[in-house]
PDB file of all heavy atoms in Angstrom:
ATOM      1  N   ASP A   1      13.860  28.670 -42.376  1.00 90.00           N
ATOM      2  CA  ASP A   1      13.970  27.299 -42.982  1.00 90.00           C
ATOM      3  C   ASP A   1      13.228  26.246 -42.129  1.00 90.00           C
ATOM      4  O   ASP A   1      13.133  25.123 -42.562  1.00 90.00           O
ATOM      5  CB  ASP A   1      15.431  26.897 -43.110  1.00 90.00           C
ATOM      6  CG  ASP A   1      16.197  27.750 -44.093  1.00 90.00           C
ATOM      7  OD1 ASP A   1      15.538  28.299 -44.986  1.00 90.00           O
ATOM      8  OD2 ASP A   1      17.415  27.791 -44.046  1.00 90.00           O
ATOM      9  N   ARG A   2      12.741  26.602 -40.962  1.00 91.00           N
ATOM     10  CA  ARG A   2      12.139  25.622 -40.071  1.00 91.00           C
ATOM     11  C   ARG A   2      10.930  24.912 -40.663  1.00 91.00           C
ATOM     12  O   ARG A   2      10.864  23.682 -40.728  1.00 91.00           O
ATOM     13  CB  ARG A   2      11.802  26.234 -38.719  1.00 91.00           C
ATOM     14  CG  ARG A   2      12.977  26.688 -37.874  1.00 91.00           C
ATOM     15  CD  ARG A   2      12.533  27.318 -36.569  1.00 91.00           C
ATOM     16  NE  ARG A   2      11.744  26.398 -35.751  1.00 91.00           N
ATOM     17  CZ  ARG A   2      12.226  25.505 -34.908  1.00 91.00           C
ATOM     18  NH1 ARG A   2      13.535  25.419 -34.754  1.00 91.00           N
ATOM     19  NH2 ARG A   2      11.441  24.762 -34.229  1.00 91.00           N
ATOM     20  N   ALA A   3       9.972  25.712 -41.072  1.00 91.00           N
ATOM     21  CA  ALA A   3       8.699  25.099 -41.591  1.00 91.00           C
ATOM     22  C   ALA A   3       8.951  24.316 -42.870  1.00 91.00           C
ATOM     23  O   ALA A   3       8.452  23.195 -43.055  1.00 91.00           O
ATOM     24  CB  ALA A   3       7.663  26.172 -41.805  1.00 91.00           C
ATOM     25  N   VAL A   4       9.736  24.892 -43.783  1.00 93.00           N
ATOM     26  CA  VAL A   4       9.978  24.206 -45.056  1.00 93.00           C
ATOM     27  C   VAL A   4      10.745  22.927 -44.870  1.00 93.00           C
ATOM     28  O   VAL A   4      10.410  21.871 -45.451  1.00 93.00           O
ATOM     29  CB  VAL A   4      10.750  25.165 -46.027  1.00 93.00           C
ATOM     30  CG1 VAL A   4      11.107  24.436 -47.307  1.00 93.00           C
ATOM     31  CG2 VAL A   4       9.925  26.423 -46.296  1.00 93.00           C
ATOM     32  N   THR A   5      11.785  22.986 -44.010  1.00 94.00           N
ATOM     33  CA  THR A   5      12.618  21.772 -43.788  1.00 94.00           C
ATOM     34  C   THR A   5      11.808  20.706 -43.073  1.00 94.00           C
ATOM     35  O   THR A   5      11.950  19.498 -43.397  1.00 94.00           O
ATOM     36  CB  THR A   5      13.818  22.157 -42.959  1.00 94.00           C
ATOM     37  OG1 THR A   5      14.493  23.242 -43.576  1.00 94.00           O
ATOM     38  CG2 THR A   5      14.801  20.989 -42.858  1.00 94.00           C
ATOM     39  N   SER A   6      10.957  21.057 -42.105  1.00 94.00           N
ATOM     40  CA  SER A   6      10.110  20.047 -41.423  1.00 94.00           C
ATOM     41  C   SER A   6       9.208  19.354 -42.411  1.00 94.00           C
ATOM     42  O   SER A   6       9.025  18.161 -42.381  1.00 94.00           O
ATOM     43  CB  SER A   6       9.301  20.747 -40.295  1.00 94.00           C
ATOM     44  OG  SER A   6      10.142  21.268 -39.318  1.00 94.00           O
ATOM     45  N   ASP A   7       8.609  20.133 -43.328  1.00 94.00           N
ATOM     46  CA  ASP A   7       7.719  19.546 -44.357  1.00 94.00           C
ATOM     47  C   ASP A   7       8.452  18.580 -45.226  1.00 94.00           C
ATOM     48  O   ASP A   7       8.005  17.428 -45.497  1.00 94.00           O
ATOM     49  CB  ASP A   7       7.109  20.683 -45.163  1.00 94.00           C
ATOM     50  CG  ASP A   7       6.233  20.156 -46.317  1.00 94.00           C
ATOM     51  OD1 ASP A   7       5.127  19.662 -46.071  1.00 94.00           O
ATOM     52  OD2 ASP A   7       6.724  20.228 -47.472  1.00 94.00           O
ATOM     53  N   GLU A   8       9.638  19.008 -45.722  1.00 94.00           N
ATOM     54  CA  GLU A   8      10.387  18.156 -46.617  1.00 94.00           C
ATOM     55  C   GLU A   8      10.892  16.866 -45.946  1.00 94.00           C
ATOM     56  O   GLU A   8      10.822  15.764 -46.523  1.00 94.00           O
ATOM     57  CB  GLU A   8      11.559  18.957 -47.207  1.00 94.00           C
ATOM     58  CG  GLU A   8      11.131  20.118 -48.108  1.00 94.00           C
ATOM     59  CD  GLU A   8      12.329  20.939 -48.578  1.00 94.00           C
ATOM     60  OE1 GLU A   8      13.463  20.720 -48.072  1.00 94.00           O
ATOM     61  OE2 GLU A   8      12.096  21.846 -49.403  1.00 94.00           O
ATOM     62  N   VAL A   9      11.366  16.985 -44.733  1.00 94.00           N
ATOM     63  CA  VAL A   9      11.869  15.834 -44.017  1.00 94.00           C
ATOM     64  C   VAL A   9      10.742  14.856 -43.691  1.00 94.00           C
ATOM     65  O   VAL A   9      10.879  13.594 -43.794  1.00 94.00           O
ATOM     66  CB  VAL A   9      12.663  16.271 -42.744  1.00 94.00           C
ATOM     67  CG1 VAL A   9      12.989  15.063 -41.884  1.00 94.00           C
ATOM     68  CG2 VAL A   9      13.922  17.010 -43.127  1.00 94.00           C
ATOM     69  N   ASN A  10       9.606  15.369 -43.245  1.00 94.00           N
ATOM     70  CA  ASN A  10       8.462  14.502 -42.923  1.00 94.00           C
ATOM     71  C   ASN A  10       7.983  13.752 -44.197  1.00 94.00           C
ATOM     72  O   ASN A  10       7.649  12.550 -44.119  1.00 94.00           O
ATOM     73  CB  ASN A  10       7.304  15.309 -42.378  1.00 94.00           C
ATOM     74  CG  ASN A  10       7.557  15.713 -40.936  1.00 94.00           C
ATOM     75  OD1 ASN A  10       8.215  15.037 -40.170  1.00 94.00           O
ATOM     76  ND2 ASN A  10       6.980  16.835 -40.540  1.00 94.00           N
ATOM     77  N   ARG A  11       7.919  14.403 -45.316  1.00 94.00           N
ATOM     78  CA  ARG A  11       7.554  13.717 -46.551  1.00 94.00           C
ATOM     79  C   ARG A  11       8.550  12.634 -46.912  1.00 94.00           C
ATOM     80  O   ARG A  11       8.194  11.546 -47.380  1.00 94.00           O
ATOM     81  CB  ARG A  11       7.405  14.728 -47.660  1.00 94.00           C
ATOM     82  CG  ARG A  11       6.244  15.687 -47.499  1.00 94.00           C
ATOM     83  CD  ARG A  11       6.179  16.726 -48.629  1.00 94.00           C
ATOM     84  NE  ARG A  11       5.093  17.692 -48.441  1.00 94.00           N
ATOM     85  CZ  ARG A  11       3.840  17.518 -48.854  1.00 94.00           C
ATOM     86  NH1 ARG A  11       3.552  16.400 -49.511  1.00 94.00           N
ATOM     87  NH2 ARG A  11       2.926  18.393 -48.638  1.00 94.00           N
ATOM     88  N   GLU A  12       9.819  12.940 -46.721  1.00 94.00           N
ATOM     89  CA  GLU A  12      10.865  11.986 -47.067  1.00 94.00           C
ATOM     90  C   GLU A  12      10.828  10.774 -46.136  1.00 94.00           C
ATOM     91  O   GLU A  12      11.001   9.615 -46.550  1.00 94.00           O
ATOM     92  CB  GLU A  12      12.232  12.650 -46.989  1.00 94.00           C
ATOM     93  CG  GLU A  12      13.402  11.793 -47.469  1.00 94.00           C
ATOM     94  CD  GLU A  12      13.373  11.495 -48.960  1.00 94.00           C
ATOM     95  OE1 GLU A  12      12.545  12.170 -49.684  1.00 94.00           O
ATOM     96  OE2 GLU A  12      14.130  10.610 -49.399  1.00 94.00           O
ATOM     97  N   ILE A  13      10.516  11.036 -44.832  1.00 93.00           N
ATOM     98  CA  ILE A  13      10.374   9.901 -43.903  1.00 93.00           C
ATOM     99  C   ILE A  13       9.228   9.008 -44.306  1.00 93.00           C
ATOM    100  O   ILE A  13       9.344   7.773 -44.278  1.00 93.00           O
ATOM    101  CB  ILE A  13      10.167  10.455 -42.490  1.00 93.00           C
ATOM    102  CG1 ILE A  13      11.449  11.109 -41.945  1.00 93.00           C
ATOM    103  CG2 ILE A  13       9.700   9.359 -41.528  1.00 93.00           C
ATOM    104  CD1 ILE A  13      11.281  11.798 -40.607  1.00 93.00           C
ATOM    105  N   ASP A  14       8.105   9.591 -44.670  1.00 93.00           N
ATOM    106  CA  ASP A  14       6.933   8.779 -45.091  1.00 93.00           C
ATOM    107  C   ASP A  14       7.275   7.984 -46.339  1.00 93.00           C
ATOM    108  O   ASP A  14       6.931   6.757 -46.388  1.00 93.00           O
ATOM    109  CB  ASP A  14       5.761   9.712 -45.351  1.00 93.00           C
ATOM    110  CG  ASP A  14       4.535   8.943 -45.835  1.00 93.00           C
ATOM    111  OD1 ASP A  14       3.911   8.254 -44.977  1.00 93.00           O
ATOM    112  OD2 ASP A  14       4.205   9.023 -47.036  1.00 93.00           O
ATOM    113  N   ARG A  15       7.995   8.535 -47.303  1.00 93.00           N
ATOM    114  CA  ARG A  15       8.317   7.813 -48.512  1.00 93.00           C
ATOM    115  C   ARG A  15       9.278   6.671 -48.222  1.00 93.00           C
ATOM    116  O   ARG A  15       9.101   5.530 -48.695  1.00 93.00           O
ATOM    117  CB  ARG A  15       8.931   8.755 -49.510  1.00 93.00           C
ATOM    118  CG  ARG A  15       9.203   8.162 -50.907  1.00 93.00           C
ATOM    119  CD  ARG A  15       9.860   9.145 -51.818  1.00 93.00           C
ATOM    120  NE  ARG A  15      11.216   9.470 -51.360  1.00 93.00           N
ATOM    121  CZ  ARG A  15      12.292   8.720 -51.638  1.00 93.00           C
ATOM    122  NH1 ARG A  15      12.147   7.552 -52.343  1.00 93.00           N
ATOM    123  NH2 ARG A  15      13.454   9.051 -51.201  1.00 93.00           N
ATOM    124  N   LEU A  16      10.352   6.970 -47.442  1.00 93.00           N
ATOM    125  CA  LEU A  16      11.309   5.929 -47.140  1.00 93.00           C
ATOM    126  C   LEU A  16      10.759   4.810 -46.287  1.00 93.00           C
ATOM    127  O   LEU A  16      11.146   3.614 -46.452  1.00 93.00           O
ATOM    128  CB  LEU A  16      12.512   6.562 -46.452  1.00 93.00           C
ATOM    129  CG  LEU A  16      13.386   7.495 -47.318  1.00 93.00           C
ATOM    130  CD1 LEU A  16      14.482   8.146 -46.466  1.00 93.00           C
ATOM    131  CD2 LEU A  16      14.008   6.731 -48.486  1.00 93.00           C
ATOM    132  N   CYS A  17       9.846   5.108 -45.372  1.00 92.00           N
ATOM    133  CA  CYS A  17       9.221   4.051 -44.574  1.00 92.00           C
ATOM    134  C   CYS A  17       8.387   3.107 -45.439  1.00 92.00           C
ATOM    135  O   CYS A  17       8.367   1.903 -45.214  1.00 92.00           O
ATOM    136  CB  CYS A  17       8.430   4.651 -43.459  1.00 92.00           C
ATOM    137  SG  CYS A  17       9.399   5.398 -42.076  1.00 92.00           S
ATOM    138  N   ARG A  18       7.673   3.660 -46.412  1.00 91.00           N
ATOM    139  CA  ARG A  18       6.863   2.820 -47.270  1.00 91.00           C
ATOM    140  C   ARG A  18       7.763   1.985 -48.147  1.00 91.00           C
ATOM    141  O   ARG A  18       7.461   0.780 -48.436  1.00 91.00           O
ATOM    142  CB  ARG A  18       5.925   3.694 -48.121  1.00 91.00           C
ATOM    143  CG  ARG A  18       4.714   4.160 -47.329  1.00 91.00           C
ATOM    144  CD  ARG A  18       3.710   4.887 -48.205  1.00 91.00           C
ATOM    145  NE  ARG A  18       4.089   6.260 -48.463  1.00 91.00           N
ATOM    146  CZ  ARG A  18       4.580   6.712 -49.632  1.00 91.00           C
ATOM    147  NH1 ARG A  18       4.747   5.845 -50.632  1.00 91.00           N
ATOM    148  NH2 ARG A  18       4.892   7.962 -49.812  1.00 91.00           N
ATOM    149  N   GLU A  19       8.867   2.536 -48.618  1.00 91.00           N
ATOM    150  CA  GLU A  19       9.785   1.753 -49.484  1.00 91.00           C
ATOM    151  C   GLU A  19      10.514   0.668 -48.701  1.00 91.00           C
ATOM    152  O   GLU A  19      10.822  -0.380 -49.248  1.00 91.00           O
ATOM    153  CB  GLU A  19      10.800   2.696 -50.110  1.00 91.00           C
ATOM    154  CG  GLU A  19      10.253   3.646 -51.130  1.00 91.00           C
ATOM    155  CD  GLU A  19      11.324   4.537 -51.736  1.00 91.00           C
ATOM    156  OE1 GLU A  19      12.472   4.454 -51.264  1.00 91.00           O
ATOM    157  OE2 GLU A  19      10.980   5.293 -52.691  1.00 91.00           O
ATOM    158  N   ASN A  20      10.731   0.837 -47.406  1.00 90.00           N
ATOM    159  CA  ASN A  20      11.481  -0.112 -46.605  1.00 90.00           C
ATOM    160  C   ASN A  20      10.603  -0.969 -45.707  1.00 90.00           C
ATOM    161  O   ASN A  20      11.088  -1.638 -44.789  1.00 90.00           O
ATOM    162  CB  ASN A  20      12.536   0.603 -45.757  1.00 90.00           C
ATOM    163  CG  ASN A  20      13.642   1.197 -46.561  1.00 90.00           C
ATOM    164  OD1 ASN A  20      14.675   0.567 -46.854  1.00 90.00           O
ATOM    165  ND2 ASN A  20      13.497   2.475 -46.947  1.00 90.00           N
ATOM    166  N   ASP A  21       9.275  -0.937 -45.946  1.00 89.00           N
ATOM    167  CA  ASP A  21       8.330  -1.739 -45.219  1.00 89.00           C
ATOM    168  C   ASP A  21       8.410  -1.519 -43.717  1.00 89.00           C
ATOM    169  O   ASP A  21       8.392  -2.462 -42.890  1.00 89.00           O
ATOM    170  CB  ASP A  21       8.524  -3.248 -45.526  1.00 89.00           C
ATOM    171  CG  ASP A  21       8.262  -3.574 -46.961  1.00 89.00           C
ATOM    172  OD1 ASP A  21       7.387  -2.913 -47.536  1.00 89.00           O
ATOM    173  OD2 ASP A  21       8.938  -4.426 -47.525  1.00 89.00           O
ATOM    174  N   ILE A  22       8.541  -0.239 -43.334  1.00 89.00           N
ATOM    175  CA  ILE A  22       8.528   0.116 -41.903  1.00 89.00           C
ATOM    176  C   ILE A  22       7.134   0.644 -41.575  1.00 89.00           C
ATOM    177  O   ILE A  22       6.653   1.574 -42.223  1.00 89.00           O
ATOM    178  CB  ILE A  22       9.635   1.161 -41.601  1.00 89.00           C
ATOM    179  CG1 ILE A  22      11.008   0.615 -41.858  1.00 89.00           C
ATOM    180  CG2 ILE A  22       9.498   1.684 -40.166  1.00 89.00           C
ATOM    181  CD1 ILE A  22      12.131   1.629 -41.709  1.00 89.00           C
ATOM    182  N   ASN A  23       6.500   0.032 -40.623  1.00 89.00           N
ATOM    183  CA  ASN A  23       5.140   0.366 -40.252  1.00 89.00           C
ATOM    184  C   ASN A  23       5.159   1.488 -39.214  1.00 89.00           C
ATOM    185  O   ASN A  23       5.617   1.321 -38.120  1.00 89.00           O
ATOM    186  CB  ASN A  23       4.411  -0.860 -39.707  1.00 89.00           C
ATOM    187  CG  ASN A  23       2.940  -0.561 -39.413  1.00 89.00           C
ATOM    188  OD1 ASN A  23       2.410   0.431 -39.885  1.00 89.00           O
ATOM    189  ND2 ASN A  23       2.342  -1.424 -38.601  1.00 89.00           N
ATOM    190  N   ILE A  24       4.646   2.673 -39.650  1.00 87.00           N
ATOM    191  CA  ILE A  24       4.457   3.791 -38.685  1.00 87.00           C
ATOM    192  C   ILE A  24       3.194   3.508 -37.900  1.00 87.00           C
ATOM    193  O   ILE A  24       2.098   3.670 -38.425  1.00 87.00           O
ATOM    194  CB  ILE A  24       4.391   5.156 -39.434  1.00 87.00           C
ATOM    195  CG1 ILE A  24       5.693   5.370 -40.246  1.00 87.00           C
ATOM    196  CG2 ILE A  24       4.189   6.290 -38.432  1.00 87.00           C
ATOM    197  CD1 ILE A  24       5.680   6.665 -41.034  1.00 87.00           C
ATOM    198  N   ALA A  25       3.376   3.124 -36.659  1.00 80.00           N
ATOM    199  CA  ALA A  25       2.246   2.632 -35.879  1.00 80.00           C
ATOM    200  C   ALA A  25       1.456   3.790 -35.252  1.00 80.00           C
ATOM    201  O   ALA A  25       1.895   4.927 -35.273  1.00 80.00           O
ATOM    202  CB  ALA A  25       2.736   1.704 -34.787  1.00 80.00           C
ATOM    203  N   PHE A  26       0.314   3.446 -34.703  1.00 72.00           N
ATOM    204  CA  PHE A  26      -0.517   4.409 -33.976  1.00 72.00           C
ATOM    205  C   PHE A  26      -1.175   3.701 -32.807  1.00 72.00           C
ATOM    206  O   PHE A  26      -1.250   2.431 -32.793  1.00 72.00           O
ATOM    207  CB  PHE A  26      -1.574   5.014 -34.925  1.00 72.00           C
ATOM    208  CG  PHE A  26      -2.259   3.997 -35.816  1.00 72.00           C
ATOM    209  CD1 PHE A  26      -3.351   3.298 -35.360  1.00 72.00           C
ATOM    210  CD2 PHE A  26      -1.750   3.714 -37.109  1.00 72.00           C
ATOM    211  CE1 PHE A  26      -3.973   2.363 -36.162  1.00 72.00           C
ATOM    212  CE2 PHE A  26      -2.380   2.809 -37.898  1.00 72.00           C
ATOM    213  CZ  PHE A  26      -3.515   2.105 -37.455  1.00 72.00           C
ATOM    214  N   ASN A  27      -1.674   4.444 -31.883  1.00 69.00           N
ATOM    215  CA  ASN A  27      -2.258   3.880 -30.687  1.00 69.00           C
ATOM    216  C   ASN A  27      -3.511   3.050 -31.033  1.00 69.00           C
ATOM    217  O   ASN A  27      -4.346   3.478 -31.853  1.00 69.00           O
ATOM    218  CB  ASN A  27      -2.621   4.963 -29.673  1.00 69.00           C
ATOM    219  CG  ASN A  27      -1.401   5.627 -29.132  1.00 69.00           C
ATOM    220  OD1 ASN A  27      -0.350   4.981 -29.040  1.00 69.00           O
ATOM    221  ND2 ASN A  27      -1.536   6.883 -28.692  1.00 69.00           N
TER     222      ASN A  27
END
């Protein structure tokens, strides 16, 4: 379940951050 769960959680993080106006920053 490791690879599948990591993929699903990462996609959900990206979606929720865009919906809540959270800026995922970069260097």
